């Protein structure tokens, strides 16, 4: 991968992480009132665009590295995320597609679990940061899934309040995923620069032998 790829990939992953952190902070402050914000639908559109671009960079990376399991599971994860956000957008903007929300949540949970495993047990897991991002994604998704099932099975107010608070913290921790990806990109960029210097060194050495 060339330097331009790492620069732009890092930029959009950082933007995605910043958006996620900002959204979590607003959610902490407003709680469920966040859904009453008039600008929420526009915000979701921004998330759709940025996350789609970030996914394209990650998928290109997996394909280039020949991490096949991570690549194909990443495709399904990206598609599930995209349609989940589209459904959420239509619910917020037009009060439509409410009946599709629960199925999309389930699909997103499943594809997230599979993609997380692909970053842990496949060759992608040989990269420390990728393995860490997979573990982070798996753990956060496990917490969110457990809280989701718990809140569905116990609809009293106290349970819902606790479940909502746990989910908010888990959503914030989920931003470690793009951050760890950025760290991996930065490590690989430096490794690539080191290899280029190592390749150019023999040529310089060979030319200097002329004067010996």
């Amino acid at each position: 991968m060339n330097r331009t790829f790492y620069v732009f990939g890092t930029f959009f992953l950082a933007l995605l992480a910043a958006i996620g952190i900002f959204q979590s902070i607003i959610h902490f402050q407003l709680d469920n009132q966040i859904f009453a914000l008039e600008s929420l639908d526009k915000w979701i559109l921004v998330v759709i665009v940025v996350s789609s671009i970030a996914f394209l960079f990650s998928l290109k990376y997996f394909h280039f590295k020949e991490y096949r399991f991570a690549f194909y599971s990443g495709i399904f994860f990206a598609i599930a995320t995209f349609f989940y956000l589209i459904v959420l957008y239509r619910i917020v903007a037009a009060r439509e597609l409410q009946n599709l929300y629960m199925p999309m949540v389930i699909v997103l949970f499943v594809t997230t679990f599979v993609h997380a495993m692909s970053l842990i047990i496949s060759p992608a897991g040989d990269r420390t940061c990728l393995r860490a991002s997979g573990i982070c994604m798996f753990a956060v998704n496990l917490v969110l899934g457990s809280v989701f099932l718990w809140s569905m099975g116990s609809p009293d107010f106290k349970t819902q309040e606790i479940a909502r608070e746990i989910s908010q913290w888990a959503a914030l921790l989920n931003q470690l995923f793009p951050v760890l990806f950025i760290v991996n990109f930065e490590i690989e960029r430096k490794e690539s620069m080191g290899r280029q210097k190592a390749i150019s060194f023999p040529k310089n050495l060979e030319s200097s032998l002329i004067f010996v």
Side-chain angles (χ1 to χ4, degrees):
M1 310 299 291
N2 57 38
R3 181 178 178 275
T4 302
F5 172 85
Y6 287 120
V7 169
F8 281 99
T10 297
F11 172 77
F12 282 104
L13 285 166
L15 187 58
L16 182 63
I19 286 173
I21 293 171
F22 177 76
Q23 182 173 295
S24 294
I25 292 172
I26 297 300
H27 201 176
F28 273 118
Q29 292 180 340
L30 299 181
D31 202 12
N32 277 348
Q33 293 181 7
I34 191 173
F35 296 103
L37 293 175
E38 294 182 2
S39 60
L40 183 60
D41 55 341
K42 299 177 183 63
W43 176 258
I44 294 173
L45 287 178
V46 172
V47 175
I48 290 173
V49 172
V50 174
S51 62
S52 296
I53 297 174
F55 271 124
L56 288 176
F57 276 98
S58 64
L59 290 174
K60 184 177 180 180
Y61 170 80
F62 291 140
H63 185 267
F64 178 81
K65 291 289 185 177
E66 297 184 349
Y67 298 151
R68 298 188 184 281
F69 187 13
F71 175 69
Y72 289 113
S73 64
I75 290 176
F76 287 107
F77 176 47
I79 292 173
T81 301
F82 176 80
F83 281 105
Y84 166 78
L85 290 171
I86 290 295
V87 169
L88 186 61
Y89 170 75
R90 294 304 300 168
I91 291 173
V92 171
R95 302 297 186 267
E96 298 175 350
L97 306 181
Q98 289 93 333
N99 59 322
L100 292 180
Y101 181 76
M102 288 300 295
M104 287 309 307
V105 168
I106 295 172
V107 170
L108 187 58
F109 272 134
V110 172
T111 55
T112 303
F113 270 124
V114 174
H115 188 55
M117 291 303 299
S118 76
L119 296 176
I120 300 172
I121 64 174
S122 75
D126 293 339
R127 304 290 304 182
T128 302
C129 289
L130 292 184
R131 183 169 65 251
S133 67
I135 293 171
C136 172
M137 182 186 292
F138 186 90
V140 170
N141 201 55
L142 184 63
V143 170
L144 287 172
S146 300
V147 169
F148 178 74
L149 293 174
W150 177 47
S151 63
M152 291 291 291
S154 181
D156 65 276
F157 176 78
K158 187 64 176 178
T159 298
Q160 295 295 323
E161 186 178 4
I162 295 172
R164 189 163 58 248
E165 186 173 347
I166 295 174
S167 297
Q168 289 173 356
W169 280 106
L172 180 60
L173 289 174
N174 203 36
Q175 305 316 312
L176 282 173
F177 174 69
V179 170
L180 288 168
F181 233 99
I182 290 170
V183 174
N184 179 70
F185 275 6
E186 182 62 17
I187 292 172
E188 289 209 0
R189 186 184 66 82
K190 290 181 178 179
E191 289 175 349
S192 177
M193 291 175 62
R195 284 193 297 269
Q196 289 176 359
K197 290 180 180 179
I199 292 172
S200 63
F201 178 73
K203 294 180 180 179
N204 297 334
L205 181 62
E206 182 180 353
S207 61
S208 66
L209 290 177
I210 298 173
F211 302 97
V212 176

